Amino acid sequence: MPLPRRYTLTQYLIEQRRRFPGASGDFNALLLDVALACKAIARSVAFGELGGVLGHPSADVATAVNVQGEQQKKLDVVSNEYFTQMTEWGGHLAGMASEEMDAPYQIAAPHQRGKYLLVFDPLDGSSNIDVNVTVGSIFSILRAPQEVIDSGRDVVEADFLQPGTRQLAAGYALYGPTTMLVLSVGNGVAGFTLDPNLGQFMLTHPDIQVPPDTQEFAINASNARFWEAPVKRYVDECLAGQTGPRGKDFNMRWIASMVAEAHRILMRGGVFMYPRDSKDPAKPGRLRLLYEANPIGFLMEQAGARVSTGREPLLGVAPTALHQRIGLIFGSRHEVERIERYHAEPSRTEEPVHPLFGERGLFRAEALS
Ligand code: F6P
């Protein structure tokens, strides 16, 4: 039986480059370095306890926190090192920023500096590492400001504060039952599965599209008391199912690895919400704009899905800080548009939603009085 004809990641990138006849190849070389870092992380994840990378990097758990004040795992630190070491040598980068590093990372001699900025979360969903649940790496590539390229100076935080619309490429690697790389270079979204025999990412999911309708949503419901009214309304209506205003049942999922939820949505549709809430007034959301929300947002838009803060399209948001957090809602277009509409209708969202007592319910308040 003939083998199915499959492209490797390298072949796919060469095909994509044909769209830019003047391109130097630096961009593709950088993406292949990122893919190499992801393969190395996949190996560490696969060895788990045997590789000695589970648990905290320091015996004193209290000191093992990252810039976000979150518990760091050994694998967070190891993954960050894979990203920096595999990408700094190639001469393509002006600098890097990561969830695990307080300040931008400088490309130092003997390495050459280049024209791109790499922003990444080396291990998303790391609370799942010790329980052997899917985690992943998320990355985004931006062009460095021209003055940085011309001068070759050290990068500073302000160089990275570019809206998501300016991303040149974004993607994630998923360390699950199979290792996958899902990527967009601005021309749709393609998924690659790591062939463990060849050690190559093979194109298995060309042109991923998110269906516009869905009956599946994902949210951490333990935060319900902190949600804003439009989010409460949306979730209440989904939970009311067939007997509620939506007239159909919804399913709910929560993996607590955003990258895995994003993958599910790219594969079969759905909505993900980690919205702005009142849990901690100092944090306007849980997820980070530059290396979590923006790259996933770029992929979603490239796959025909919609991405929002609830109030505005996410990719248009002008960042103000490297580690800024934001409320994030993405997924099947018609559902995200509905959630945005609820945000734009503040008066209606004040009304408690209940399938029997709501505006369209059987027992309207005035009818009972
Ligand atoms: O830090 C990011 C992250 O791990 C996401 O991958 C995930 O969606 C979220 O945090 C989980 O948060 P929580 O523990 O509040 O459900």
Side-chain angles (χ1 to χ4, degrees), residues 51-65:
V53 289
L54 300 191
H56 299 281
S58 146
D60 177 5
V61 170
T63 63
V65 290

Side-chain angles (χ1 to χ4, degrees), residues 8 27 32 36 39 45 67 76 88-89 99 103 112 139 199 204 237 241 288 291 294 302 317 331 334 360:
T8 63
F27 183 64
L32 291 172
L36 185 61
K39 282 189 223 175
V45 170
V67 57
D76 282 320
E88 71 182 338
W89 66 277
E99 176 174 12
Q112 303 272 310
F139 59 89
T204 46
E237 288 182 358
R288 276 50 61 108
Y291 40 80
N294 272 347
Q302 286 287 323
V317 172
H334 294 158
R360 271 165 269 154

Side-chain angles (χ1 to χ4, degrees), residues 11-248:
Q11 288 167 332
Y12 172 85
L13 290 173
I14 290 169
E15 281 284 313
Q16 294 298 313
R17 194 178 143 207
R18 298 218 168 100
R19 292 187 297 134
F20 306 100
S24 63
D26 284 11
F27 183 64
N28 282 358
L30 172 59
L31 283 169
L32 291 172
D33 287 346
V34 169
L36 185 61
C38 294
K39 282 189 223 175
I41 298 168
R43 293 301 291 161
S44 291
V45 170
F47 274 96
E49 187 67 36
L50 296 173
V53 289
L54 300 191
H56 299 281
S58 146
D60 177 5
V61 170
T63 63
V65 290
N66 67 10
V67 57
Q68 318 290 332
E70 288 164 357
Q71 286 294 328
Q72 249 181 342
K73 307 282 182 150
K74 275 188 211 159
L75 208 49
D76 282 320
V77 176
V78 168
S79 304
N80 197 67
E81 279 172 12
Y82 277 132
F83 258 86
T84 54
Q85 285 174 16
M86 305 266 178
T87 60
E88 71 182 338
W89 66 277
H92 316 303
L93 285 176
M96 300 184 221
S98 151
E99 176 174 12
E100 302 302 329
M101 300 186 289
D102 197 356
Y105 183 92
Q106 308 298 340
I107 309 297
H111 306 305
Q112 303 272 310
R113 290 181 173 175
K115 52 181 180 279
Y116 299 111
L117 298 173
L118 177 64
V119 190
F120 57 95
D121 176 356
L123 208 64
D124 179 61
S126 53
S127 68
N128 279 323
I129 295 169
D130 292 345
V131 291
N132 200 8
V133 169
T134 297
V135 290
S137 305
I138 308 176
F139 59 89
S140 163
I141 296 175
L142 297 161
R143 196 180 164 85
Q146 193 57 43
E147 168 262 330
V148 173
I149 301 171
D150 293 343
S151 66
R153 67 158 166 77
D154 279 5
V155 285
V156 295
E157 177 169 4
D159 300 326
F160 293 84
L161 304 184
Q162 306 183 28
T165 46
R166 301 253 287 269
Q167 293 171 103
L168 301 174
Y172 62 80
L174 200 67
Y175 315 119
T178 57
T179 295
M180 288 193 69
L181 184 80
V182 175
L183 177 73
S184 177
V185 292
N187 184 29
V189 180
F192 302 82
T193 303
L194 185 64
D195 180 329
N197 290 331
L198 299 176
Q200 290 279 353
F201 281 113
M202 309 301 291
L203 181 63
T204 46
H205 298 68
D207 196 21
I208 296 171
Q209 293 285 329
V210 175
D213 293 299
T214 183
Q215 288 176 230
E216 197 162 67
F217 68 99
I219 193 163
N220 181 342
S222 72
N223 292 326
R225 67 189 184 284
F226 305 113
W227 293 341
E228 295 180 325
V231 172
K232 275 197 182 108
R233 173 183 173 189
Y234 178 76
V235 173
D236 281 350
E237 288 182 358
C238 291
L239 295 178
Q242 223 164 21
T243 56
R246 301 298 306 272
K248 56 183 181 178

